[in-house]
Amino acid sequence: MVSRSYTNLLEIASGESSSLGWFPRRIPRVVTTSGIVPDLDSASSSLSSSPEPRERTIIVANQLPIRSQRLHGSGGWTFSWDETSLPLQLKGTTADLSSMEFVYVGCLREEIPLSEQDEVSQTLFETFKCVPTFIPPDLLSRFYLGFCKQYLWPLFHYMLPLSAELGGRFDRSLWQAYVSANKIFADKILEVINPDDDFVWVHDYHLMILPTFLRKRFNRVKLGFFLHSPFPSSEIYKSLPVRDEILRSLLNADLIGFHTFDYAHHFLSCCSRMLGLSYESKRGYIGLEYYGRTVSIKILPVGIHMGQLKSVLSLPETEAKVLELIKQFSGQGRTMLLGVDDMDIFKGISLKLLAFEQLLLQHPECRGKVVLVQIANPARGKGKDVKEVQSESNAMVKRINETFGYLGYEPVVMIDKLLQFYERVAYYVVAECCLVTAVRDGMNLIPYEYIISRQGNESLDRALDLSSSTPKKSVLVVSEFIGCSPSLSGAIRVNPWNIDAVADAMDSALRMPESEKQLRHEKHYRYVSTHDVGYWANSFLQDLERSCRDHIRRRCWGIGFGLGFRVVSLNASFKKLSLEYIVSAYRRTETRAILLDYDGTLMPQASIDKSPSQQSIEILNGLCCDKNNVVFLVSARSRNSLNEWFSPCENLGVAAEHSYFLRLKRDAEWQKCIPAADFSWKQIAEPVMKLYTETTDGSFIEDKETSLVWCYEDADHDFGACQAKELFNHLESVLSNEPVSVKSGSNKVEVKPQGVSKGLVAQRLISTMRERELLPDFVLCIGDDRSDEDMFEVITSAVNGPSLSPSAEVFACTVCQKPSKAKYYLDDTAEIVRLLQGLASVSEQSLGTFVPSAVEQSSLALPTG
């Protein structure tokens, strides 16, 4: 299929295409082979008649699902599918995926000479739809063996680099290699992607910053990422010097997948603690708001390829191997316990051996009757730690066999070579119990393979002299620290560090009644057989499609540099407020209403001194001196604080405590916008808040005249947010019969009288001006948080209504680019101050020729409640 790659970002922004239609100006190297890409003329002429392309997904992983072998003599290469590769197993596993086209991007296991790379690229794309990523050997070593395996892999498995021997210290040059390798992957994807239609699915920790490169090139790329390793807790992750860069890069994906809730929770906690982002669950989906984009979180463990495993079970080689193993073990009255692990420091092989040694020591009756077969696959990485694990394991095996073995009996059989898949399956079939005791592992599909293998088939049943009606059985002992553990509720879960507990679990597995083994097996088989790799892939791609559904309806643009790049995605009608435009509207209007929030709008949220600056006072006075203006400061703060801070502003209207109190000028009496409320509810709410204050370090209570606010901005973010949810529910329960509303805001929980909101003063101001026959032709409202949305809603709903002039210019403006009912935004408080300063300057210039307006001539008084 021809790739519709864009080569000019301006074409995307303008919606125009190049003179070649959607065909790329530069034909990608990997698709220039005859027979793949027709000549340009024929390609262009056939576009109108060509059928709609099938839905296509680009699978990106560190390695291609390809086996390659150098041909002797001819010097060429032969390639074949690697059937055990997860990216390949996604294809055709369900009816939903069988109609989808997949393109694979990744590295080959063998190094391809530079002179042969073009030919290999052509062959792989023509035959397998694979796009090989060629990384120079030195860069590949520093990227994969260096940063990925020596730094990221140990850290994500909870090993801190406390010394050079433990995982290795952070090396900036290795990080640069990681960045460079990810950039090479991105360039390869750009050669084949059609950004309007294709989905891109990136896999695992090797490519965690790839989303930034893709999002930077195509703001609306449909991008998913799945992490197959654990994601560490924030206490571990925050030790990573490039922690923010990786987090922000992952957040450039539309959907991020994890095997377990623990891994997802750790990621969300890191985003919260380090980037200040909050998340929420919407109709069962967890979402992070990131610059107007909702980044969805997917929690679903991967499954196995049922069809592939069942076909291996049906092989005659498998049956022959099963019979051989039965003769070797069952035929001599011995029960096999099986362990299948990679030879690395996190698989817990030595701990398993210690536990088995303990079993033989505490239960002499097991000697001669129980054998532990440990299949140790070659390690994927290299280093001193791998050699140490290997030598330690071999020493333990030797010691156990010398202590408890005798002629004709070896308690431990160590197989330290790579077995054929059918051989491994045969061991699964014969093993009475499978032991997976890794100290930390992302998922680990060994238990799933064991369960399906123990289910067997008719051919194996005949070989084992079993009737088709014989119930199948299996027993699993699994570590609490592996990703598959939560989904295997019938397994015996253990702490692998507790040697005694693991030994007891082995003994329990051996002594378990047959009926219980059958029940546990049936429960596991139902889950594993229905949650296979096809189910997992289809579910992920469906959620990815859902997450990208509104891309076309959003305005997107990129901000930031380097790995700090991110895309702002907002409604098409949401735009930045132009200073020139609003000043022009301000000049030509005569009856103006201006509503301003204080905290976060005129005063930065992070400011320690919350009192207004002299500059702010002068700007407000400049606006208030214009008799065409009615200026109100609308704040959640108490009237005492506002009265003290803004006493120099004689003509400034002030609404305090979310508009419960209001005054028109400095010397005017405070009015109440609603009838006098009963505040006896405070006697109920305050003790509850005090309880949470005592148990939440850094929190405090702000007691206002009309409301109570529990603030936790100085508390631990996660604990404070957790306590806030509990407090919110607690207060709603105890105050259910009181005339109050409980609101949750930024780092606070507030209880206030019902009907009180900032929208109240906006509504009262506009309606009263209408009663006085003063129809505003200019309305400006600026705020920064949820409480200000009520004001935005009031003034925007008044447009084209009787309360405003037919030609009214209405500006509802929020702070920062975020979802809002406002139509405009400004980036920060500094821009707001500059805007108001510009408006005040216009008013000051007009004072010399000013003619009293209707606002000045008519006394504006808001009626009390």
Side-chain angles (χ1 to χ4, degrees):
M1 187 180 79
V2 179
S3 168
R4 291 184 281 173
S5 300
Y6 285 97
T7 57
N8 191 336
L9 282 177
L10 294 178
E11 295 172 2
I12 301 174
S14 64
E16 299 174 357
S17 58
S18 66
S19 58
L20 295 177
W22 45 255
F23 203 83
R25 291 176 182 162
R26 181 180 67 84
I27 305 174
R29 183 181 66 184
V30 297
V31 291
T32 53
T33 308
S34 175
I36 298 180
V37 177
D39 61 83
L40 295 182
D41 293 333
S42 63
S44 300
S45 62
S46 63
L47 293 184
S48 59
S49 60
S50 62
E52 281 292 312
R54 288 193 301 168
E55 198 171 47
R56 190 171 79 156
T57 298
I58 300 174
I59 303 292
V60 191
N62 180 49
Q63 290 188 340
L64 286 172
I66 292 291
R67 296 185 187 276
S68 53
Q69 186 176 359
R70 170 71 82 174
L71 292 175
H72 297 290
S74 64
W77 293 90
T78 179
F79 302 100
S80 61
W81 287 117
D82 179 2
E83 300 292 344
T84 63
S85 174
L86 176 63
L88 180 62
Q89 292 177 356
L90 306 181
K91 186 177 182 179
T93 48
T94 68
D96 295 318
L97 297 180
S98 60
S99 61
M100 181 178 288
E101 180 183 355
F102 288 94
V103 175
Y104 301 94
V105 178
C107 296
L108 291 167
R109 291 178 176 86
E110 281 72 26
E111 181 184 347
I112 307 296
L114 183 63
S115 60
E116 301 178 38
Q117 289 179 5
D118 282 347
E119 182 182 353
V120 168
S121 296
Q122 175 181 324
T123 301
L124 288 176
F125 193 82
E126 279 184 326
T127 311
F128 302 98
K129 288 294 182 183
C130 289
V131 180
T133 302
F134 300 112
I135 302 177
D138 178 62
L139 178 61
L140 180 62
S141 176
R142 289 183 288 122
F143 155 65
Y144 183 71
L145 297 178
F147 194 76
C148 290
K149 282 299 181 182
Q150 290 184 21
Y151 194 79
L152 277 184
W153 178 257
L155 188 73
F156 276 37
H157 288 73
Y158 287 72
M159 178 179 283
L160 287 171
L162 300 176
S163 67
E165 290 75 24
L166 294 175
R169 297 284 169 79
F170 179 78
D171 187 330
R172 182 66 60 174
S173 66
L174 297 182
W175 163 247
Q176 293 297 337
Y178 184 82
V179 174
S180 299
N182 275 248
K183 180 64 168 62
I184 293 174
F185 273 89
D187 292 340
K188 282 296 179 182
I189 296 168
L190 295 181
E191 291 181 353
V192 295
I193 189 175
N194 166 19
D196 289 337
D197 297 326
D198 291 346
F199 292 91
V200 181
W201 189 358
V202 181
H203 290 264
D204 224 2
Y205 67 99
H206 315 90
L207 303 171
M208 287 194 294
I209 61 171
L210 180 57
T212 288
F213 291 119
L214 296 178
R215 185 71 63 189
K216 192 171 186 178
R217 185 65 176 84
F218 300 115
N219 291 169
R220 292 185 176 88
V221 65
K222 303 169 184 176
L223 179 58
F225 180 92
F226 199 95
L227 183 67
H228 293 274
S229 78
F231 195 94
S233 69
S234 60
E235 291 301 308
I236 298 292
Y237 182 79
K238 71 182 180 182
S239 68
L240 183 61
V242 289
R243 62 192 190 186
D244 287 1
E245 290 89 334
I246 290 178
L247 284 180
R248 292 192 183 279
S249 293
L250 290 175
L251 290 170
N252 276 321
D254 295 296
L255 177 65
I256 306 174
F258 300 91
H259 286 306
T260 72
F261 173 74
D262 280 348
Y263 303 160
H265 181 259
H266 292 158
F267 173 76
L268 294 170
S269 178
C270 288
C271 290
S272 174
R273 290 172 178 267
M274 297 165 204
L275 302 181
L277 302 177
S278 59
Y279 64 91
E280 60 182 350
S281 180
K282 297 178 180 178
R283 296 183 179 179
Y285 296 102
I286 300 175
L288 271 166
E289 290 297 326
Y290 187 61
Y291 289 90
R293 295 172 51 245
T294 298
V295 181
S296 299
I297 304 299
K298 176 77 172 177
I299 303 170
L300 185 65
V302 69
I304 60 174
H305 194 302
M306 289 290 294
Q308 183 186 93
L309 187 52
K310 287 183 176 180
S311 66
V312 173
L313 283 167
S314 301
L315 292 175
E317 298 97 315
T318 305
E319 182 178 335
K321 186 65 178 179
V322 167
L323 294 174
E324 177 189 329
L325 294 175
I326 289 175
K327 181 179 179 181
Q328 181 182 352
F329 295 100
S330 303
Q332 299 184 25
R334 289 169 185 162
T335 301
M336 182 201 299
L337 304 181
L338 178 65
V340 181
D341 305 279
D342 292 344
M343 183 62 78
D344 72 41
I345 56 178
F346 299 111
K347 300 304 182 184
I349 294 177
S350 59
L351 295 174
K352 186 189 303 179
L353 292 172
L354 288 173
F356 185 67
E357 183 180 36
Q358 187 82 341
L359 173 72
L360 297 178
L361 190 64
Q362 293 180 347
H363 301 277
E365 68 276 10
C366 292
R367 300 171 193 173
K369 296 182 180 179
V370 179
V371 177
L372 171 62
V373 176
Q374 177 61 55
I375 300 174
N377 301 318
R380 300 178 188 180
K382 298 179 181 178
K384 181 181 177 182
D385 53 352
V386 174
K387 294 179 181 178
E388 288 178 350
V389 169
Q390 194 167 16
S391 60
E392 181 185 23
S393 300
N394 290 334
M396 284 186 181
V397 171
K398 182 180 179 181
R399 186 183 71 231
I400 294 171
N401 286 340
E402 288 178 350
T403 304
F404 301 102
Y406 50 82
L407 184 63
Y409 171 63
E410 274 191 340
V412 180
V413 177
M414 174 70 82
I415 303 174
D416 55 357
K417 64 178 181 179
L418 187 62
L419 297 180
Q420 295 290 328
F421 189 37
Y422 79 87
E423 294 179 292
R424 198 169 81 211
V425 169
Y427 277 98
Y428 290 147
V429 173
V430 176
E432 189 70 17
C433 174
C434 185
L435 309 169
V436 184
T437 56
V439 297
R440 189 73 60 178
D441 208 350
M443 182 59 193
N444 201 313
L445 294 175
I446 298 299
Y448 287 15
E449 294 177 352
Y450 169 71
I451 291 163
I452 301 303
S453 299
R454 290 287 288 180
Q455 184 69 16
N457 55 34
E458 292 182 3
S459 176
L460 287 174
D461 286 347
R462 287 194 298 269
L464 298 172
D465 291 328
L466 297 175
S467 67
S468 58
S469 61
T470 303
K472 303 301 168 60
K473 59 183 180 179
S474 63
V475 184
L476 281 168
V477 176
V478 300
S479 165
E480 299 170 351
F481 304 112
I482 62 176
C484 66
S485 176
S487 61
L488 297 171
S489 56
I492 303 175
R493 296 194 183 102
V494 294
N495 174 4
W497 300 100
N498 188 336
I499 304 300
D500 292 333
V502 177
D504 290 343
M506 292 179 183
D507 182 55
S508 297
L510 293 169
R511 297 175 182 274
M512 187 177 293
E514 296 296 302
S515 58
E516 186 175 347
K517 292 179 183 179
Q518 293 165 9
L519 288 173
R520 290 174 184 257
H521 173 80
E522 288 172 7
K523 185 175 187 179
H524 289 157
Y525 182 77
R526 280 197 303 270
Y527 176 84
V528 175
S529 60
T530 55
H531 292 73
D532 62 354
V533 66
Y535 174 88
W536 169 77
N538 190 53
S539 178
F540 186 92
L541 290 172
Q542 281 182 348
D543 280 2
L544 179 58
E545 184 179 6
R546 175 189 55 80
S547 301
C548 303
R549 196 168 291 158
D550 67 341
H551 277 193
I552 197 67
R553 297 192 295 269
R554 310 280 286 182
R555 287 175 58 243
C556 300
W557 65 96
I559 59 174
F561 299 97
L563 295 178
F565 175 85
R566 59 266 190 206
V567 166
V568 176
S569 175
L570 301 169
N571 289 327
S573 60
F574 192 63
K575 51 191 173 184
K576 189 167 185 176
L577 184 55
S578 166
L579 178 60
E580 294 78 9
Y581 180 69
I582 192 172
V583 167
S584 173
Y586 188 83
R587 287 183 187 277
R588 64 176 179 265
T589 51
E590 296 181 353
T591 307
R592 311 185 191 104
I594 301 175
L595 298 154
L596 304 172
D597 175 45
Y598 181 64
D599 289 287
T601 303
L602 293 178
M603 174 59 60
Q605 288 283 13
S607 178
I608 297 176
D609 183 5
K610 297 297 185 181
S611 61
S613 65
Q614 184 60 36
Q615 181 189 29
S616 297
I617 296 295
E618 292 173 358
I619 291 172
L620 291 173
N621 276 330
L623 292 172
C624 292
C625 287
D626 190 332
K627 303 302 182 180
N628 284 6
N629 295 344
V630 177
V631 184
F632 263 90
L633 187 78
V634 187
S635 173
R637 290 192 173 271
S638 67
R639 56 177 172 172
N640 291 334
S641 297
L642 297 175
N643 192 49
E644 177 185 350
W645 288 347
F646 295 98
S647 57
C649 302
E650 181 180 355
N651 296 318
L652 178 67
V654 177
E657 300 200 19
H658 293 292
S659 303
Y660 185 89
F661 295 110
L662 181 145
R663 73 174 190 196
L664 302 177
K665 295 184 178 180
R666 180 186 63 191
D667 299 328
E669 293 293 326
W670 286 97
Q671 305 173 12
K672 295 178 181 177
C673 285
I674 64 173
D678 177 15
F679 297 107
S680 59
W681 56 265
K682 283 190 174 185
Q683 298 174 10
I684 303 172
E686 190 170 17
V688 176
M689 286 189 174
K690 282 184 177 179
L691 173 64
Y692 285 82
T693 303
E694 292 170 0
T695 57
T696 311
D697 186 42
S699 65
F700 61 91
I701 300 172
E702 188 178 352
D703 188 355
K704 302 178 182 178
E705 288 184 72
T706 64
S707 64
L708 281 174
V709 186
W710 185 76
C711 304
Y712 61 94
E713 60 186 24
D714 296 327
D716 177 87
H717 188 278
D718 284 353
F719 183 56
C722 179
Q723 291 289 80
K725 291 178 182 178
E726 289 294 324
L727 175 60
F728 181 88
N729 293 332
H730 196 161
L731 289 171
E732 277 204 324
S733 175
V734 299
L735 298 173
S736 58
N737 296 323
E738 301 294 330
V740 296
S741 59
V742 183
K743 299 290 184 182
S744 179
S746 178
N747 295 322
K748 66 183 180 183
V749 176
E750 183 173 15
V751 184
K752 59 184 180 181
Q754 286 179 348
V756 175
S757 74
K758 289 186 178 181
L760 192 61
V761 69
Q763 190 173 19
R764 295 286 293 277
L765 175 62
I766 292 174
S767 62
T768 303
M769 292 181 74
R770 179 192 176 195
E771 291 172 6
R772 302 293 188 265
E773 297 183 353
L774 302 172
L775 298 183
D777 52 5
F778 178 97
V779 181
L780 172 63
C781 179
I782 308 179
D784 75 304
D785 64 16
R786 293 180 185 175
S787 64
D788 301 307
E789 296 293 319
D790 295 325
M791 290 196 294
F792 299 152
E793 186 174 13
V794 168
I795 67 167
T796 52
S797 61
V799 176
N800 299 324
S803 299
L804 300 182
S805 168
S807 59
E809 299 274 9
V810 177
F811 301 92
C813 179
T814 189
V815 183
C816 297
Q817 302 158 356
K818 61 192 175 190
S820 172
K821 294 174 183 175
K823 186 178 179 180
Y824 301 95
Y825 74 90
L826 289 171
D827 288 329
D828 50 35
T829 56
E831 285 196 350
I832 293 169
V833 170
R834 284 196 295 271
L835 169 68
L836 296 177
Q837 197 169 29
L839 299 183
S841 298
V842 173
S843 291
E844 291 170 1
Q845 292 169 10
S846 64
L847 284 179
T849 58
F850 178 71
V851 177
S853 69
V855 177
E856 180 190 25
Q857 295 168 8
S858 176
S859 174
L860 177 65
L862 300 184
T864 62

